[in-house]
Amino acid sequence: GIRAAMEKVLVTGASGYIASHIVHQLLSARNDDGSPKYQVRGTVRTASVAKKTELLKAMASDIGTDAADRLEVVGANLLEDEGWESAVVGCAYVMHTASPLPSGVPDSADELVKPAVEGVERVLHACQAANNVKRVVMTSSDAAISAGGVPSMCHKPADHVFSEEDWADPELVPAYEKSKTLAEQRAWKLWKEMPEDGRFELVVVNPVLVLGPLVMNNAGTSMLIITKTMNGEYPMYPPVFHGVVDVRDVAVIHLAAMTKPGISGNRYLACSEEYVELGLQGMVSVLHDAYSPQGFRFSTRAMPSWLVPVLKLFYKELRLLEPALNIRIRRDLSKTINELGITYRSVRQTVLDAAASCIQRGLVRTPAGYQAPQEQQREEEETVQSADGDGGDTTDP
């Protein structure tokens, strides 16, 4: 019957922050006649199958009665062969989003590089062996393109305009950037070595810093900026102007990268268009304007650059930001916009929706007598709610 026509999509690291939005959009997608488009199989770490299945099923049942029935969760670990080949069987598409993401600087680059690179090898080999995969979409990072835009780390002049043509130098960059760069390079190399007739197609998505609302309780490392700000944990903010992209837009880009014909072999930057003007302090000001009238108290002060080396001893997130101080990177975003037909949400909307979502999920302490604004309550009812669970991480391999 109809079931046979539904294509199955594998999403690796399905309980991660970006991945859960991809799963959400896949399960929500409909054909013109209103019938559901996809079945989804998600992988999570073997150790957390029971817990993550419960969270993902709860998110799915909020979409609609049939969505949870179209979702299956299986265990597979990036550092183990077991489970990958059976996970890929029967899947027309594979979204490889699982990758380790640090909340601070890891002790050695290997902690991140090994699972990232080996994970890519396992997933791509399984796709090749299964012989039923039409296309793989891999989540890489802008870190593999611009290394955060630090000119010294990518042999580029300060006024360079970055695009999908650029690569970070893995020998010059910190551990996270190195893991992302080497994993993506490994993917392209493996794919190019496969015999051209009969191999699956490959498309890569390279997001900058991802923020936005949650579809389940799994705020990733990147969302600490929102929750810690709202909780008043930062005394001041360093002068960083990294790109920002909405998690919902990143998921839309992944689905477009999965289905659009004729784009195999391409990378696509995911970055909202007006990121540079705002900067970190600008994002905090947006939150402050919206929430200080309601009794939220947090700093909006700028951090002098000389203080960063001192404060980074206490705030590990600062160590990740330090190389990018005062750098206003320029990017050419036209390829994703034109080829995939993407319209980005404004950073302002992303930041406000992220904050509302964190408040609603209890990740942010609210002042006495706080009432969610009417407009936000309406939006929250439209965005899908999920059952409460604990924090989770951006990077459930």
Side-chain angles (χ1 to χ4, degrees):
I2 294 176
R3 278 228 170 259
M6 246 191 296
E7 291 187 303
K8 187 172 283 187
V9 183
L10 181 74
V11 181
T12 70
S15 61
Y17 177 47
I18 294 172
S20 58
H21 276 267
I22 293 173
V23 171
H24 190 279
Q25 288 187 17
L26 287 167
L27 291 173
S28 304
R30 301 264 159 192
N31 295 307
D32 294 340
D33 65 0
S35 62
K37 246 183 180 163
Y38 303 111
Q39 299 180 57
V40 177
R41 180 182 290 148
T43 72
V44 297
R45 274 188 293 241
T46 313
S48 54
V49 172
K51 187 177 78 174
K52 303 295 189 184
T53 301
E54 194 183 332
L55 284 175
L56 283 159
K57 287 277 190 184
M59 176 189 83
S61 54
D62 285 331
I63 296 170
T65 42
D66 70 320
D69 299 335
R70 290 184 283 117
L71 171 70
E72 173 194 1
V73 182
V74 299
N77 300 333
L78 291 179
L79 287 170
E80 292 163 24
D81 291 336
E82 205 183 329
W84 287 113
E85 290 202 5
S86 58
V88 170
V89 169
C91 295
Y93 302 103
V94 173
M95 301 273 204
H96 180 43
T97 67
S99 180
L101 180 69
S103 56
V105 174
D107 298 332
S108 82
D110 264 6
E111 269 181 58
L112 294 174
V113 171
K114 196 171 144 71
V117 173
E118 289 188 12
V120 163
E121 292 172 350
R122 288 189 167 88
V123 171
L124 294 189
H125 285 314
C127 291
Q128 193 183 16
N131 212 15
N132 47 265
V133 177
K134 293 197 238 181
R135 184 179 290 178
V136 174
V137 178
M138 175 176 163
T139 315
S140 180
S141 169
D142 172 62
I145 289 178
S146 74
V150 186
S152 64
M153 290 183 188
C154 39
H155 310 288
K156 299 288 192 300
D159 62 352
H160 180 71
V161 178
F162 285 92
S163 75
E164 289 85 352
E165 303 296 312
D166 292 299
W167 281 93
D169 182 340
E171 296 313 308
L172 296 178
V173 298
Y176 171 67
E177 286 81 355
K178 181 174 185 170
S179 76
K180 281 298 191 188
T181 306
L182 290 174
E184 191 191 338
Q185 286 177 346
R186 186 77 185 108
W188 287 119
K189 185 173 187 298
L190 272 178
W191 182 70
K192 284 176 176 147
E193 287 167 356
M194 292 174 188
E196 256 183 75
D197 71 319
R199 75 175 170 195
F200 51 82
E201 297 182 317
L202 179 62
V203 180
V204 172
V205 180
N206 301 74
V208 290
L209 180 75
V210 181
L211 300 174
L214 304 166
V215 284
M216 49 187 258
N217 271 24
N218 59 349
T221 309
S222 57
M223 287 284 280
L224 286 174
I225 290 174
I226 305 278
T227 54
K228 288 195 167 186
T229 292
M230 300 286 286
N231 283 329
E233 292 178 40
Y234 293 135
M236 48 185 91
Y237 300 87
V240 283
F241 302 89
H242 39 55
V244 169
V245 64
D246 193 294
V247 66
R248 294 164 290 190
D249 293 340
V250 174
V252 169
I253 289 168
H254 277 77
L255 266 70
M258 178 179 99
T259 54
K260 192 175 168 63
I263 59 166
S264 182
N266 280 293
R267 315 166 85 190
Y268 291 98
L269 249 172
C271 180
S272 170
E273 291 161 275
E274 17 111 275
Y275 58 92
V276 172
E277 293 79 79
L278 216 50
L280 182 55
Q281 219 191 336
M283 287 180 358
V284 173
S285 297
V286 166
L287 288 174
H288 197 264
D289 292 348
Y291 286 100
S292 71
Q294 305 177 49
F296 283 83
R297 293 283 167 262
F298 50 88
S299 159
T300 55
R301 276 183 309 172
M303 180 186 297
S305 299
W306 60 265
L307 246 183
V308 175
V310 182
L311 287 174
K312 74 173 184 185
L313 302 172
F314 306 98
Y315 297 95
K316 55 187 179 182
E317 308 91 284
L318 265 185
R319 286 175 234 168
L320 295 173
L321 297 176
E322 189 182 22
L325 292 183
N326 292 307
I327 288 172
R328 292 171 183 260
I329 183 173
R330 300 166 63 194
R331 294 186 178 88
D332 176 357
L333 306 174
S334 59
K335 184 176 169 183
T336 306
I337 293 166
N338 297 337
E339 293 184 16
L340 301 182
I342 300 299
T343 309
Y344 287 106
R345 289 168 167 85
S346 72
V347 174
R348 190 192 147 72
Q349 195 57 54
T350 298
V351 169
L352 290 174
D353 289 354
S357 171
C358 289
I359 289 171
Q360 181 228 329
R361 291 183 179 280
L363 301 173
V364 169
R365 290 186 295 276
T366 51
Y370 167 76
Q371 287 274 298
Q374 286 306 300
E375 173 196 2
Q376 264 170 14
Q377 278 174 345
R378 267 208 311 284
E379 270 177 27
E380 281 169 11
E381 281 155 23
E382 283 163 27
T383 62
V384 170
Q385 309 307 321
S386 92
D388 287 333
D390 60 3
D393 193 356
T394 322
T395 55
D396 211 350

